[in-house]
Amino acid sequence: MIKLNLGCGNLPLEGYKNVDISPTAKADEFYDITKGIREEEGTVSEINAGCVLEQIASNEDFIFVINECHRVLENGSTLKGYVPSTDPSVLFLDPMDRRFFQEGSFDYFESSKHHWKEFGRNYGLKGWSKALAKKNEHGIIFFGLIK
């Protein structure tokens, strides 16, 4: 099975297919994930997405990318990564960041949660079986979405 590292920048991971849009990144493949993930449905065992989801500007592109991750992951596999929170120490620290999260933001992805049932599915988000999120002392939220 394939493991993807989306938005790898200069931090490629060994054992992963490292993907980035920037031609200066240390990636194996260069493309825009808001146009689709270049893997077949159910062929990916893990996706790492550190420092990438917060840089997706439009809601439509954000939903599309999350759903693309869901599409390419095999059942039971995980989309994991980290995003900035609304903590003042990281809020707008990176001028490229376009969205910010709270731990509860990930309730919008888990199909058993009220926030997905009432809002997430109406936004067009695919339901994930489990969503986990924990903010560290630096204001970064580490998350996992299990398909």
Side-chain angles (χ1 to χ4, degrees), residues 75-96:
N75 287 333
S77 295
T78 303
L79 164 61
K80 65 178 185 171
Y82 50 93
V83 293
S85 72
T86 55
D87 187 289
S89 66
V90 294
L91 189 64
F92 298 112
L93 179 65
D94 185 333
M96 294 297 111

Side-chain angles (χ1 to χ4, degrees), residues 19 29 39:
V19 176
E29 294 185 6
E39 304 299 335

Side-chain angles (χ1 to χ4, degrees), residues 78-79 103 106 110 130-134 141-146:
T78 303
L79 164 61
E103 289 171 300
F106 292 88
E110 186 177 326
K130 188 76 176 159
L132 307 165
K134 182 72 175 159
I141 297 174
F142 289 82
F143 71 88
L145 298 176
I146 302 168

